[in-house]
Amino acid sequence: MRYLSTRGGGEPLAFKDTILTGLARDGGLFLPESIPNVADRLAAWQKLAYQDLAFEIIRLFADDIPEDALRAIIAESYASFRHPEVTPVIKVGPVHVLELFHGPTLAFKDVALQFLGNLFAYVLSETGGEMNIVAATSGDTGSAAIFGVRGRERIRIFVMHPHGRVSPVQERQMTTVLDANVCNLAVDGTFDDCQNIVKELFGDLAFRDVCKLGAVNSINWARVLAQIVYYFYAAFRVQETTGAAKVRFSVPTGNFGDIFA
């Protein structure tokens, strides 16, 4: 699978190069050049455990990672979740609720960022490279990203949050992590100000290359990819319970990453 920028610049990249690059060099977002048709696999996928379903979906897009390595990355990523189903589906009255709060920081973003932290560690160990992650957060991305990469060799993370505008719990989740590779930055402004700083840094290509910048916000395709899995998993659970042929999702979303998945 190759990945193209939404702005049309540059050469297509393989999956591992895409996730290390984050934002395309022309300022666009990376998307796969094609979306696999999996209609003939749905019946076989319906009874799979979450980790096995994640493997089947992610390997379609991450075909430059050996299958045994990908299985190990997925298993490690979801070992920290408190529920055996990872993202269980609970019936509440006439609707079903997909629970995405069973990860280590109670945020839905743990689903993607536990995976992304392990993915970064795997690729960097292969290349011998290093990465400086720069992230903007309104609360949940920062704590989830920090938990995903804290204490890791070859990775440092710099998280910007708007001062006084995140919940006290999430602020503590970020600022009480004292690992040497974690740096928290309180910005006098809004989340959009933090995000604009990230975009400006990635837009300075010389600085970006020298500092080996990496991204964990939804500008990184792997974030979206990991979140695709729980839509399949949830649909299967609802179909199993109700016998419905189709499932409708109502999705709370901020910067569109969740619903885009």
Side-chain angles (χ1 to χ4, degrees), residues 104-178:
T105 73
L106 310 180
F108 86 91
K109 293 177 181 178
D110 286 323
V111 177
L113 289 169
Q114 286 295 295
F115 173 71
L116 189 54
N118 288 307
L119 189 61
F120 281 152
Y122 170 79
V123 175
L124 292 172
S125 69
E126 270 194 334
T127 63
E130 295 185 349
M131 174 183 287
N132 290 300
I133 296 170
V134 181
T137 187
S138 57
D140 48 359
T141 291
S143 51
I146 286 170
F147 200 94
V149 302
R150 62 180 298 184
R152 292 188 182 274
E153 296 181 3
R154 305 182 184 279
I155 300 174
R156 289 171 293 275
I157 184 166
F158 301 83
V159 176
M160 291 175 283
H161 68 271
H163 181 59
R165 299 191 183 203
V166 301
S167 74
V169 169
Q170 290 174 323
E171 183 178 3
R172 288 188 179 97
Q173 281 182 328
M174 291 186 283
T175 58
T176 58
V177 176
L178 303 180

Side-chain angles (χ1 to χ4, degrees), residues 4 28 36 50 107 124 130 160 168 170 185 219 238 258-259:
L4 308 170
Y50 189 92
L124 292 172
E130 295 185 349
M160 291 175 283
Q170 290 174 323
L185 303 167
I219 60 176
V238 173
D258 195 7
I259 188 64

